[in-house]
Amino acid sequence: MTAVRTADVLVAGLGPSGRALAARCAHAGLSVRAVDPSPHRVWTATYGAWADELPSWLPENVLAARVESPGVWTTRPHVLDRPYVVLDTAALQRSLSLESVAVTQARVRSLAPGEVILDDGQRLRATHVFDARGVPVTSKSAQQTAFGVVTDAETAAAALEGRSAWFMDWRRDNGTAETDTPSFLYAVPLDDERVLLEETCLVGRPALPLAELQHRLGVRLSTRGVAVPATAPVERVRFSVDGGPRRHDGVLGFGACGGLMHPATGYAVAAALTAADPLAAAIRSGSDPYRLLWPRSARTVAAIRNVGLRVLLGGLRPAEVPEFFAAFFDLPIDRQRAYLSRRTDVVGTLDGMRRLFGAVPSGVRGSILRGIR
């Protein structure tokens, strides 16, 4: 086996998180190598984010659609005074240039501090090794699933009911009863002409099957008078929301693989984009990347968010889920933002959870306590 010292930074995995880290480290002047079995695969997933989550360096052309005040329907309608954006996936991928990154097309056999061993036995060495290969989906993992269709804006209008987007619509016009595991409609513009209409299981262990979500979406759209052509493009989503360990075998994870995925929402891309530049700066200055990504405040917020995941998985009864989110979306936007987006805001996150607990009905309060025991 040959050994080659290759770079300041070595990134295993070139999904959105890994590619962001590799590209921004190279942009900062670091020598970077990346390893992926299919480094040039085209991304096809839909990525959304709150506009205030995204870093300033991201080009404007990466934003395919912007909704100033997305709608939510829980037990009643809400309007969120927080702009939401949908990313142009292809433009995002192009913007994260690998021109200055040495890319190796290969599978990783093992990772260790300062070293990656490939399937063919080759050893690649770097000062800092990051694992950005994502989190595997297993039968035991908590998962988010979704089934969606892409249609033109005119066809989708009846589902949107005058809104620019539904961030969450928990109404049960999808053919379900109050005792059924709930799912919601996520309906967002992809650009000026196309809209994604997606039935989503926020989290489950196991999550709802895609076939069930497809059926529910069909019922919901039919109920609202939306006729989607049989040839409409579809999107199928299944991923684990159980975040990977922040460090394993001495190697720091990044993206979903490193705990940056929000366990109660499944959002990870914006957090990775935002963290990439500070992490590159820490490496350039000789600081500890782990301390940069995971100060005590970030570890505390992560623990609080995991409590929220436990409530969603094991505490709330199906009929209580819309009531829980009604209280959440009645919180001041700053407190919603703290829980959803601010990885180090302990005070804001705790205050938001305190307010939510006080606002939900007493039965939901009992279910929350049951879920966190």
Side-chain angles (χ1 to χ4, degrees), residues 2-91:
T2 59
V4 181
R5 177 165 294 281
T6 60
D8 299 320
V9 174
L10 196 154
V11 180
L14 283 173
S17 296
R19 185 162 174 143
L21 180 59
R24 298 309 293 177
C25 282
H27 179 80
L30 297 165
S31 58
V32 183
R33 178 174 288 279
V35 179
D36 191 285
S38 302
H40 305 297
R41 68 188 182 281
V42 176
W43 303 341
T44 58
T46 300
Y47 300 118
W50 301 103
D52 54 40
E53 292 179 320
L54 298 173
S56 58
W57 55 261
L58 202 65
E60 279 292 323
N61 72 325
V62 169
L63 308 183
R66 179 184 175 101
V67 179
E68 294 300 326
S69 300
V72 171
W73 194 296
T74 56
T75 59
R76 58 188 183 278
H78 310 250
V79 177
L80 306 184
D81 187 21
R82 189 183 182 194
Y84 184 79
V85 297
V86 177
L87 305 182
D88 180 326
T89 305

Side-chain angles (χ1 to χ4, degrees), residues 111-362:
L111 297 165
E115 184 176 75
V116 172
I117 301 178
L118 306 182
D119 264 357
D120 64 2
Q122 182 181 183
R123 295 174 181 263
L124 303 178
R125 291 178 177 167
T127 306
H128 299 279
V129 174
F130 295 90
D131 189 355
R133 293 176 295 169
V135 180
V137 174
T138 71
S139 59
K140 297 181 179 180
S141 60
Q143 300 169 28
Q144 182 172 126
T145 51
F147 181 90
V149 295
V150 177
T151 188
D152 63 274
E154 183 178 354
T155 299
L160 291 167
E161 301 172 313
R163 305 284 185 186
S164 299
W166 287 118
F167 181 66
M168 285 182 169
D169 183 348
W170 290 98
R171 283 176 287 179
R172 291 188 177 273
D173 58 350
N174 58 0
T176 59
E178 284 196 348
T179 54
D180 293 330
T181 299
S183 57
F184 64 89
L185 176 67
Y186 172 72
V188 295
L190 299 179
D191 50 37
D192 292 338
E193 300 177 351
R194 300 175 303 140
V195 175
L196 172 67
L197 303 172
E198 196 159 79
E199 193 76 18
T200 304
C201 172
L202 183 60
V203 65
R205 189 186 285 130
L208 289 171
L210 294 181
E212 171 64 14
L213 292 169
Q214 181 178 6
H215 171 73
R216 291 186 182 190
L217 180 64
V219 172
R220 190 190 296 274
L221 296 183
S222 177
T223 301
R224 299 191 190 185
V226 178
V228 177
T231 56
V234 302
E235 178 174 78
R236 296 175 176 87
V237 176
R238 180 185 296 276
F239 60 86
S240 172
V241 300
D242 290 325
R246 294 187 284 271
R247 284 191 291 200
H248 57 96
D249 299 326
V251 174
L252 185 58
F254 190 73
C257 189
L260 292 187
M261 177 180 288
H262 197 304
T265 67
Y267 279 42
V269 172
L273 292 171
T274 299
D277 268 14
L279 187 56
I283 293 169
R284 277 186 59 87
S285 69
S287 300
D288 181 359
Y290 180 79
R291 289 182 179 273
L292 181 282
L293 276 179
W294 292 104
R296 179 175 296 180
S297 57
R299 299 195 303 270
T300 301
V301 169
I304 298 169
R305 289 175 170 182
N306 279 320
V307 170
L309 175 61
R310 285 158 55 193
V311 169
L312 291 173
L313 283 172
L316 299 175
R317 298 180 177 91
E320 294 172 334
V321 171
E323 295 177 311
F324 176 87
F325 280 103
F328 180 83
F329 288 115
D330 278 347
L331 292 174
I333 284 292
D334 188 62
R335 290 300 177 251
Q336 294 180 36
R337 183 184 291 114
Y339 180 74
L340 293 173
S341 305
R342 292 177 178 161
R343 295 183 56 246
T344 59
D345 187 354
V346 178
V347 172
T349 301
L350 283 174
D351 184 60
M353 296 303 93
R354 178 188 63 80
R355 294 187 190 207
L356 184 148
F357 188 76
V360 295
S362 59

